[in-house]
Amino acid sequence: MKRVLLCLTLAFIVVSCITPTALAQEDKAISVLVDGLPVIFDVEPIIQNGRTLVPFRAIAEALGVQVGWDGENQTVIATDGEKIVKLQIGNKTAYCNEDPITLDVPPVISGGRTIIPLRFFGEAFNCKVEWDGVNRTVKITSPPKDMSVIGFYALGDSSTSSWTNLFGVPYPDTAAGNTDIVDELALGWYSLDKDGNLLTKSRTGWQRPDGWEDVLEAAKKYGLVTEMVVHVTDGDGTLTSLLSNDAAMIAATGNIIREAALYQGINLDFEGLGYSEEGEQLLKTQGAFNTFVRLLVEQADKAGLKLTLTLHAPNSVYKGYDYKTLSEYADRIIVMAYDYGTKPEPNALVIQAVEQALKCVPKEKLVLGISIPNETPESLFSKVGIAKRYQLEGIALWRLGLLTDEKWGTLKSAVTLKTDNTND
């Protein structure tokens, strides 16, 4: 009898120690990450028969999948343009491009929302789906997405050479290197003075290097589009002076167009506008920049050149950029969603910047700027995930020369190019 009592006592102690933790773990809400970013649900995911079920519309939108609802047949329909997936409430048979697939658990209605099996849905659209039981988290990696990848090409020392980082070998030799994941070069070689003179060596350190012609030849060899970057900052009032002088603006736009004949496009990077300004002064600053861009795009159109604007994010301290008007002028806008003060850049602020920009800029025109030195390989993955989730035109990398092998690997796992860069 004493032995029985002793065993019961020990069992009680063990259960007392384990049960609170186990119960707490079971009560923990299920999280879902898509490309490193959380998916927000208005109805909590549930587990049935060992399968995770999640609200249909929220997960579909996170994956960039179009959704539909057939109320008569209680059927949800999703498509990415290539596959069509259909699931019916209470039915264990789903369809992927009309092929029947038996589910372990059927879709159900919960909290007024259609709840579907997550693993089936993710894998139907070629996603990798992993379950982290310890943290009760589902991690989904979407397939590589076609998008433009713009690499800012600037000067660097022997250890941060844009040439070597891109082509994989020291200058002047060339190889395919990483040209399979970059399709455009934004060549940071120009600036302007307050009178509109085009500079190839500026006070900010931007300058056209010796052997710059070799860069253009190598870009052509590997099918890379090139654009001249004109970078001006307003730290000493240069930009304000330029934009307040009609003659200087006319001179500047003319000088840019003449030089741009060497390239396939122009990238205007005017930084520092509107800091601490408000009211009429801010509107004046925005209007002056709008005027400059209008003058430039009129000539660029005649020359058959595309215009990209690289702009401070709408949620930055620099408010001198009228995104709505500028979007009407430019072919493309790169939003510099970085330099928020912490590293890696906080995803919430990057998402906020993108969402604010999308109020004025079509997603087909918007490119997410990413500051490479501010990111880890893991955080870079989530930044690309933001561009994928919002179906942006592409990403822009500041800058070539600073990408490690691990970061190149991250890009190659998440992105495919819209264009195929091949040797001549």
Side-chain angles (χ1 to χ4, degrees), residues 126-142:
N126 301 319
C127 296
K128 180 181 178 182
V129 182
E130 300 174 282
W131 168 249
D132 177 355
V134 174
N135 297 302
R136 288 174 65 83
T137 299
V138 182
K139 298 179 181 179
I140 300 176
T141 302
S142 66

Side-chain angles (χ1 to χ4, degrees), residues 89-109:
I89 302 300
N91 193 338
K92 282 190 174 183
T93 300
Y95 292 87
C96 183
N97 285 347
E98 303 303 329
D99 294 327
I101 299 172
T102 301
L103 305 174
D104 293 325
V105 292
V108 298
I109 299 291

Side-chain angles (χ1 to χ4, degrees), residues 327-333 361-367 393:
S327 174
E328 295 170 359
Y329 291 148
D331 294 287
R332 185 170 58 184
I333 289 178
V361 185
K363 61 186 179 183
E364 298 82 7
K365 277 190 172 186
L366 194 65
V367 175
E393 201 273 337

Side-chain angles (χ1 to χ4, degrees), residues 23 98 157 166 221 310 317 338 346 354:
L23 289 175
E98 303 303 329
D157 57 31
L166 177 61
K221 178 178 179 180
T310 298
V317 297
Y338 47 78
V354 169

Side-chain angles (χ1 to χ4, degrees), residues 104-121:
D104 293 325
V105 292
V108 298
I109 299 291
S110 176
R113 293 286 184 265
T114 300
I115 311 297
I116 64 169
L118 177 57
R119 181 175 294 277
F120 160 76
F121 190 77

